[in-house]
Amino acid sequence: QTTWNMATPYPEAEFHTQNINQFAQDVNKLSGGELTIKVHSGQSLFKHPEIPRAVRSGQVEIGETIMSNLSNQSPLFQVDSIPFLVTSYDSARKLWDGQRPFVEAYLKDQGMRLIYAIPWPGQGFFTKKEINKLADLEGVRFRTYNSTTEQMARLMKAVPTTVEAVEIPQAFSAGIVDAMVTSAATGLRTEAWEFADYYYDIQAWMPKNMIYVNERAFQRLSPKAQQALIDAGKEAEVRGWKLSEEVFSDTTAQLKGKMNYQLPSEELMKGLAQIGDVMTATWAEAVGPDGEKMLAPLR
Amino acid sequence: MLSKVLDRLFTWSGYLAGIFLVLIGILVVAQIIARMLNTQIPSVDEFAGYSLAASSFLGLAYSFRSGSHIRVTLITDKLSQPVQRVVLILVLLFALTMISIWSYNAIYLVYESWLFNEVSTGIIKYPIWIPQISMGIGVVLFCLALLEDLIRVVTGKTPNFEKNQERMAED
Amino acid sequence: MDVSLIGLIVAVMMLFLLASGVWVAVTLMSVGLISMLLFSHAPAATIQATVIWGQSSSWALTALPLFIWMGEILYRTRLAQDMFEGLSPWLARFPGRLIHINVVSCGIFAAVSGSSAATTATIGRITVPELLKRGYHESTVIGSLAGSSTLGFLIPPSIIMIVYGVAADVSITRLFIAGVLPGAMLMILFSGYLAIWSLLNPSKTPPPEPSVPILQRIRETAKLLPIVLLMIAVIGSIYAGVATATEAAAVGVVGALAIALVTGSLTKQSFIDSVLGATKTSVMVSFILAGAAFLSTAMGFTGIPRELSAWVGSMGLSKFELLIALTLLFVVLGCFLDGISIVVLTAAVIMPITQQAGIDPVWFGIFLVVVIEMSQITPPVGINLFILQSITDRNLWEVAKAAFPFFMLLILAAVLLIVFPEIATWLPNTIRQ
Ligand code: NA
Ligand code: NA
């Protein structure tokens, strides 16, 4: 009988966490009670950026991280948040197919093992004013939170403005930022209609959360428990992708009733797609031949 | 002689901690001004956080020596002088042990970050061991300060943290 | 081993170390390390470094040293003296007179700062020396600061509401709005208590200062100008979109430096002194917070707070009984852990329980903040008490005793919130129609 601790960054109410709770139950059942996973949600053990280190060095046996947090670590995680590269669950699946072997190899190299990954619902633009074409974004104070969003804002000729997540409502109300990119789900939870007027359902990108374990801890498990973990992970991946889609349609529908919901104009999408192409090309060049392999299923 | 060298070392690290505290203010003000000019300084939040860490760790020994760290003495004050001294030696020994363990762990953290080439998560990319090194240095200095006071008490002198304690309310 | 037994061992270990005179931060850190080694299989050593680094380098905490610095700069100016001289003619007939200054200034400062530790350190540095100099009753001065500084959490912005809002999936904006009226209620409770206390203890209030003619009164009032301008600059910077709530602390530092410059108290030496003074206090507080964060993670690994909460949830209590039980649980946990840790460690278990009992999550957030505020001023581990200890150089027992009446007033506030839930829910519900 083994008990594992799992560090996760998101709160209980998040669908990722609920999926993880189900996964933990499945592992326990499939292993015949041999392996119990205690889920510590909401950064209650480690802050989000510390979780990969914690799993790598065995401080916890298993953890969850949003891949784009590791963008500086390796460009293969950065592809997750390149805008306008992936705009549907279908293409997200293809990107993940191309990405997966590389993520597995990266984690293996660090003494870790990938279990599964689930995308967030597509990211849209929350803005104060109407955006019909790319030029409308010029000079808009656009919230950025990492190098990819910063680069995107610059290419859109917007003013990149870093604001921490918890300060978004106040920053919008006081005019520190005029626009941000996030999912309908997050917009709903933070009651974005209180401070923003328009929601553009762009599905700019679909970043993924990955669940991974410490390899040494994995090797110490009995074959039965190892298999339980792998099987439960496979189920969790299938369930999580479906859940993500459900959350996407649910939250988008709810948001429609709360604020000015817009599908982006063709002109806007064309402009954004160009920016996506520039960023994809820059990325592919930096990565080299591996980049093409990762994108192959998408092409 | 040695005590003078240590004195200098701790004072300088205290000044350095003060400089990092001022740096937090400068970074934040710079960010406010940059935003007024419709631009921003990349990774400034991260740098402010790391300045805070540097200030907190590099200042440990300095503030310990000036008696700023809080302890509860209401029970030990009631003991007789010789017993108080023995208790203080044990307390210093305990603290020294615990902080030594922490300093080992802190240095190991820096080493591990270096070993695995860990980098920052923000807009600017740089190795994370650079800011982390402030924890390694600060905690080791703190150990030295504890050791010095332990030796002082054992040899019958007043520890620095009592000697230098400022009575803030009576300023 | 049984979780309650482990909890008992941890509590005894902490009491023993604190009583022996081990530094508070070292105690918290050591109890964390030792209980992890004894009661979990997790590698305590590497976890210690990871958690302390993560805590100490957090951007969200950067406002704390800046506010402390602001207090240190202002302490070296005539600002406090001027503020008291400006206010005293107006409060001359009010029972207790200037003793209310802690309540009022903490209430105002709480509208800028999200943490009660920053509130204690900043306001305490300015008001306490001046009040004592004027002969106000020491224990009441200390107690009223201890109590009022907890407003830092209840009046928005509030770090703890952000933590709760994220954990419980409640709108943070809504929580902020909901905190306003209970914050005002607490201020009235505190001031009311101070007024009644002063009427009952006339001998402990310094004799009134001689009454001044109206013209001079106006001239004296002009002395309030710098502090009023500073307040407007800091609070205004947030609402005008110049600074975020965290950045406002830097505006405060610039404003304080400007006041020091204009009033001629800014010299090279006083600047250096203010920086070094702020460094000492800020290092002391950060060290305690780092120790508390590690202890909190250690408790997460041992599972004590979680299982205690689950145990309360399993008792099948009515809504009212559940609230009483949770209050007791938080007060007990609050003796040993800091407020934010308690929310983080118990949220995953508590939220489903309260939801099932049909408790409004916004209301519960406010109730929780009031209860958590108590933990800031209960011994042996109460962050506000430690800061007060450092400001006043009194021992923990004296400070805790001084804070006790205000602890009771917080309990009264919690009871009022249960009896009249509208105190918390009316404003957010009205604004959002
Ligand atoms: Na506040
Ligand atoms: Na307490």
PDB file of all heavy atoms in Angstrom, chain C residues 63-77:
ATOM      1  N   ALA C  63       4.429  44.656  -1.634  1.00  0.00           N
ATOM      2  CA  ALA C  63       3.845  45.859  -1.038  1.00  0.00           C
ATOM      3  C   ALA C  63       4.235  45.983   0.430  1.00  0.00           C
ATOM      4  O   ALA C  63       4.346  47.094   0.957  1.00  0.00           O
ATOM      5  CB  ALA C  63       2.324  45.834  -1.177  1.00  0.00           C
ATOM      6  N   LEU C  64       4.435  44.853   1.091  1.00  0.00           N
ATOM      7  CA  LEU C  64       4.704  44.864   2.541  1.00  0.00           C
ATOM      8  C   LEU C  64       5.948  45.675   2.915  1.00  0.00           C
ATOM      9  O   LEU C  64       5.856  46.610   3.715  1.00  0.00           O
ATOM     10  CB  LEU C  64       4.790  43.424   3.051  1.00  0.00           C
ATOM     11  CG  LEU C  64       5.015  43.257   4.540  1.00  0.00           C
ATOM     12  CD1 LEU C  64       3.745  43.535   5.314  1.00  0.00           C
ATOM     13  CD2 LEU C  64       5.509  41.856   4.858  1.00  0.00           C
ATOM     14  N   PRO C  65       7.139  45.371   2.336  1.00  0.00           N
ATOM     15  CA  PRO C  65       8.312  46.157   2.713  1.00  0.00           C
ATOM     16  C   PRO C  65       8.170  47.627   2.340  1.00  0.00           C
ATOM     17  O   PRO C  65       8.674  48.496   3.059  1.00  0.00           O
ATOM     18  CB  PRO C  65       9.460  45.508   1.938  1.00  0.00           C
ATOM     19  CG  PRO C  65       8.820  44.715   0.877  1.00  0.00           C
ATOM     20  CD  PRO C  65       7.484  44.291   1.397  1.00  0.00           C
ATOM     21  N   LEU C  66       7.466  47.910   1.231  1.00  0.00           N
ATOM     22  CA  LEU C  66       7.317  49.305   0.821  1.00  0.00           C
ATOM     23  C   LEU C  66       6.459  50.083   1.816  1.00  0.00           C
ATOM     24  O   LEU C  66       6.782  51.217   2.184  1.00  0.00           O
ATOM     25  CB  LEU C  66       6.733  49.393  -0.592  1.00  0.00           C
ATOM     26  CG  LEU C  66       7.627  48.855  -1.709  1.00  0.00           C
ATOM     27  CD1 LEU C  66       6.956  49.006  -3.063  1.00  0.00           C
ATOM     28  CD2 LEU C  66       8.980  49.565  -1.719  1.00  0.00           C
ATOM     29  N   PHE C  67       5.372  49.469   2.261  1.00  0.00           N
ATOM     30  CA  PHE C  67       4.547  50.148   3.261  1.00  0.00           C
ATOM     31  C   PHE C  67       5.322  50.340   4.562  1.00  0.00           C
ATOM     32  O   PHE C  67       5.217  51.380   5.222  1.00  0.00           O
ATOM     33  CB  PHE C  67       3.254  49.366   3.512  1.00  0.00           C
ATOM     34  CG  PHE C  67       2.167  49.671   2.530  1.00  0.00           C
ATOM     35  CD1 PHE C  67       1.462  48.649   1.915  1.00  0.00           C
ATOM     36  CD2 PHE C  67       1.848  50.983   2.207  1.00  0.00           C
ATOM     37  CE1 PHE C  67       0.453  48.929   0.998  1.00  0.00           C
ATOM     38  CE2 PHE C  67       0.843  51.274   1.290  1.00  0.00           C
ATOM     39  CZ  PHE C  67       0.145  50.240   0.694  1.00  0.00           C
ATOM     40  N   ILE C  68       6.098  49.336   4.947  1.00  0.00           N
ATOM     41  CA  ILE C  68       6.893  49.464   6.173  1.00  0.00           C
ATOM     42  C   ILE C  68       7.887  50.624   6.019  1.00  0.00           C
ATOM     43  O   ILE C  68       8.066  51.429   6.928  1.00  0.00           O
ATOM     44  CB  ILE C  68       7.611  48.135   6.487  1.00  0.00           C
ATOM     45  CG1 ILE C  68       6.580  47.066   6.873  1.00  0.00           C
ATOM     46  CG2 ILE C  68       8.633  48.320   7.608  1.00  0.00           C
ATOM     47  CD1 ILE C  68       7.142  45.692   7.094  1.00  0.00           C
ATOM     48  N   TRP C  69       8.459  50.714   4.839  1.00  0.00           N
ATOM     49  CA  TRP C  69       9.406  51.800   4.582  1.00  0.00           C
ATOM     50  C   TRP C  69       8.695  53.159   4.665  1.00  0.00           C
ATOM     51  O   TRP C  69       9.195  54.117   5.268  1.00  0.00           O
ATOM     52  CB  TRP C  69      10.070  51.605   3.209  1.00  0.00           C
ATOM     53  CG  TRP C  69      11.167  52.561   2.908  1.00  0.00           C
ATOM     54  CD1 TRP C  69      11.883  53.312   3.813  1.00  0.00           C
ATOM     55  CD2 TRP C  69      11.682  52.896   1.616  1.00  0.00           C
ATOM     56  NE1 TRP C  69      12.814  54.077   3.173  1.00  0.00           N
ATOM     57  CE2 TRP C  69      12.709  53.841   1.808  1.00  0.00           C
ATOM     58  CE3 TRP C  69      11.390  52.484   0.317  1.00  0.00           C
ATOM     59  CZ2 TRP C  69      13.443  54.385   0.749  1.00  0.00           C
ATOM     60  CZ3 TRP C  69      12.112  53.017  -0.734  1.00  0.00           C
ATOM     61  CH2 TRP C  69      13.134  53.959  -0.513  1.00  0.00           C
ATOM     62  N   MET C  70       7.507  53.217   4.054  1.00  0.00           N
ATOM     63  CA  MET C  70       6.725  54.459   4.117  1.00  0.00           C
ATOM     64  C   MET C  70       6.522  54.877   5.577  1.00  0.00           C
ATOM     65  O   MET C  70       6.720  56.044   5.929  1.00  0.00           O
ATOM     66  CB  MET C  70       5.375  54.247   3.429  1.00  0.00           C
ATOM     67  CG  MET C  70       4.440  55.424   3.489  1.00  0.00           C
ATOM     68  SD  MET C  70       2.858  55.056   2.653  1.00  0.00           S
ATOM     69  CE  MET C  70       1.763  55.042   4.042  1.00  0.00           C
ATOM     70  N   GLY C  71       6.162  53.899   6.417  1.00  0.00           N
ATOM     71  CA  GLY C  71       5.977  54.193   7.838  1.00  0.00           C
ATOM     72  C   GLY C  71       7.247  54.720   8.472  1.00  0.00           C
ATOM     73  O   GLY C  71       7.220  55.665   9.276  1.00  0.00           O
ATOM     74  N   GLU C  72       8.382  54.133   8.105  1.00  0.00           N
ATOM     75  CA  GLU C  72       9.667  54.548   8.684  1.00  0.00           C
ATOM     76  C   GLU C  72      10.023  55.977   8.263  1.00  0.00           C
ATOM     77  O   GLU C  72      10.586  56.739   9.049  1.00  0.00           O
ATOM     78  CB  GLU C  72      10.780  53.589   8.241  1.00  0.00           C
ATOM     79  CG  GLU C  72      10.730  52.234   8.926  1.00  0.00           C
ATOM     80  CD  GLU C  72      11.165  52.297  10.387  1.00  0.00           C
ATOM     81  OE1 GLU C  72      11.946  53.199  10.749  1.00  0.00           O
ATOM     82  OE2 GLU C  72      10.707  51.448  11.166  1.00  0.00           O
ATOM     83  N   ILE C  73       9.721  56.322   7.012  1.00  0.00           N
ATOM     84  CA  ILE C  73      10.016  57.685   6.556  1.00  0.00           C
ATOM     85  C   ILE C  73       9.146  58.678   7.324  1.00  0.00           C
ATOM     86  O   ILE C  73       9.634  59.671   7.862  1.00  0.00           O
ATOM     87  CB  ILE C  73       9.758  57.821   5.034  1.00  0.00           C
ATOM     88  CG1 ILE C  73      10.686  56.890   4.255  1.00  0.00           C
ATOM     89  CG2 ILE C  73       9.971  59.266   4.579  1.00  0.00           C
ATOM     90  CD1 ILE C  73      10.302  56.708   2.798  1.00  0.00           C
ATOM     91  N   LEU C  74       7.840  58.361   7.397  1.00  0.00           N
ATOM     92  CA  LEU C  74       6.913  59.284   8.062  1.00  0.00           C
ATOM     93  C   LEU C  74       7.234  59.407   9.548  1.00  0.00           C
ATOM     94  O   LEU C  74       7.087  60.472  10.137  1.00  0.00           O
ATOM     95  CB  LEU C  74       5.470  58.813   7.865  1.00  0.00           C
ATOM     96  CG  LEU C  74       4.978  58.838   6.418  1.00  0.00           C
ATOM     97  CD1 LEU C  74       3.568  58.297   6.316  1.00  0.00           C
ATOM     98  CD2 LEU C  74       5.050  60.261   5.856  1.00  0.00           C
ATOM     99  N   TYR C  75       7.686  58.312  10.135  1.00  0.00           N
ATOM    100  CA  TYR C  75       8.060  58.319  11.560  1.00  0.00           C
ATOM    101  C   TYR C  75       9.148  59.357  11.824  1.00  0.00           C
ATOM    102  O   TYR C  75       9.220  59.930  12.898  1.00  0.00           O
ATOM    103  CB  TYR C  75       8.535  56.920  11.922  1.00  0.00           C
ATOM    104  CG  TYR C  75       9.234  56.802  13.256  1.00  0.00           C
ATOM    105  CD1 TYR C  75       8.499  56.813  14.445  1.00  0.00           C
ATOM    106  CD2 TYR C  75      10.612  56.658  13.336  1.00  0.00           C
ATOM    107  CE1 TYR C  75       9.128  56.701  15.667  1.00  0.00           C
ATOM    108  CE2 TYR C  75      11.252  56.543  14.549  1.00  0.00           C
ATOM    109  CZ  TYR C  75      10.509  56.564  15.712  1.00  0.00           C
ATOM    110  OH  TYR C  75      11.132  56.451  16.913  1.00  0.00           O
ATOM    111  N   ARG C  76       9.981  59.598  10.830  1.00  0.00           N
ATOM    112  CA  ARG C  76      11.093  60.539  10.996  1.00  0.00           C
ATOM    113  C   ARG C  76      10.717  61.968  10.609  1.00  0.00           C
ATOM    114  O   ARG C  76      11.565  62.843  10.565  1.00  0.00           O
ATOM    115  CB  ARG C  76      12.303  60.061  10.185  1.00  0.00           C
ATOM    116  CG  ARG C  76      12.945  58.856  10.847  1.00  0.00           C
ATOM    117  CD  ARG C  76      14.043  58.218  10.053  1.00  0.00           C
ATOM    118  NE  ARG C  76      14.690  57.204  10.877  1.00  0.00           N
ATOM    119  CZ  ARG C  76      14.188  55.996  11.093  1.00  0.00           C
ATOM    120  NH1 ARG C  76      13.041  55.660  10.543  1.00  0.00           N
ATOM    121  NH2 ARG C  76      14.819  55.142  11.876  1.00  0.00           N
ATOM    122  N   THR C  77       9.434  62.170  10.267  1.00  0.00           N
ATOM    123  CA  THR C  77       8.972  63.533   9.984  1.00  0.00           C
ATOM    124  C   THR C  77       8.117  64.020  11.156  1.00  0.00           C
ATOM    125  O   THR C  77       7.915  63.294  12.131  1.00  0.00           O
ATOM    126  CB  THR C  77       8.099  63.576   8.716  1.00  0.00           C
ATOM    127  OG1 THR C  77       6.930  62.790   8.980  1.00  0.00           O
ATOM    128  CG2 THR C  77       8.821  63.012   7.517  1.00  0.00           C
TER     129      THR C  77
END
